Amino acid sequence: IRALILTLENKMKVLKNCLILLCFLPFTSLAEELITEKLIENLISNIEEAAKRQDVEQLITYFVNDAKVTFEFSGSQGGKMELDLLGYKEHLKQGWSMPMKFGYQVDDIAISISGNGKSAEVTDLVTETITMDGEIIMTTRTYEKIEIINVRGLPMITRVYGLIMTGNKAEPVI
């Protein structure tokens, strides 16, 4: 009987320890769910690298499935393009399949994290240069606003808005 009591006491201790762990797990997972500036910087860096390699499949992994991408074109180009994630993927594939070289640079990055740490907004200036036969045929500057949320501890893009300008036009406010 004494052995049975000791066995039951040990099982109770194990059960108590498990319950204590279960009480603390939600708090540790909440801490991991906060978006930090470092996580956003890593996201931006990963996006830049995927874009420079023209790796569409990698690039779209940084977006939620129902992400929206909107581009407005300035000047004589005019117009607006609104895409879901699949449309954006196809647009990138089509553009990058052309026999041209694309330069890609991101500057003026500003990160704003919400007070609760569950979302963020990034604004930046993307300069793209398109070269064909060694000659620059077009340079665009895109003023972007990117909305980001936390998905299982990772920052994911929900929306991109870009105002695309050609040449050296004045900077708009977005």
Side-chain angles (χ1 to χ4, degrees):
I1 291 185
R2 181 154 172 85
L4 182 60
I5 292 173
L6 287 174
T7 302
L8 287 174
E9 285 177 352
N10 284 338
K11 286 183 180 183
M12 290 302 288
K13 285 181 185 176
V14 170
L15 181 60
K16 190 188 310 183
N17 287 337
C18 287
L19 288 173
I20 290 170
L21 283 174
L22 287 174
C23 289
F24 286 109
L25 282 177
F27 297 112
T28 58
S29 75
L30 281 176
E32 293 171 17
E33 291 181 10
L34 298 179
I35 293 176
T36 65
E37 195 163 318
K38 182 68 175 162
L39 286 172
I40 299 291
E41 289 168 352
N42 288 340
L43 173 68
I44 293 167
S45 177
N46 291 338
I47 290 169
E48 283 183 79
E49 288 305 311
K52 286 177 182 176
R53 289 189 321 271
Q54 298 180 353
D55 186 344
V56 176
E57 296 302 325
Q58 182 64 41
L59 186 74
I60 65 165
T61 66
Y62 304 114
F63 289 76
V64 296
N65 290 334
D66 61 346
K68 301 292 181 209
V69 178
T70 303
F71 293 113
E72 286 194 53
F73 301 90
S74 68
S76 61
Q77 297 174 38
K80 187 179 204 176
M81 180 186 334
E82 293 181 336
L83 303 166
D84 61 11
L85 188 56
L86 182 59
Y88 183 54
K89 177 181 174 180
E90 292 306 313
H91 177 76
L92 289 173
K93 280 184 177 180
Q94 186 178 32
W96 287 342
S97 69
M98 294 184 197
M100 298 181 247
K101 291 190 177 193
F102 294 85
Y104 182 87
Q105 180 177 327
V106 180
D107 295 301
D108 300 334
I109 298 168
I111 300 170
S112 175
I113 298 173
S114 68
N116 66 10
K118 294 194 181 274
S119 63
E121 182 178 279
V122 175
T123 57
D124 61 37
L125 169 63
V126 175
T127 303
E128 292 179 281
T129 305
I130 302 171
T131 307
M132 183 180 245
D133 297 326
E135 204 173 307
I136 294 175
I137 60 171
M138 180 185 282
T139 298
T140 64
R141 297 180 335 154
T142 304
Y143 298 92
E144 289 183 322
K145 183 189 301 184
I146 303 166
E147 295 174 12
I148 297 168
I149 62 167
N150 180 298
V151 178
R152 293 182 299 280
L154 295 173
M156 300 288 287
I157 297 170
T158 60
R159 185 160 199 60
V160 175
Y161 168 80
L163 178 58
I164 301 173
M165 307 187 71
T166 57
N168 294 321
K169 308 241 180 191
E171 294 185 22
V173 175
I174 61 170

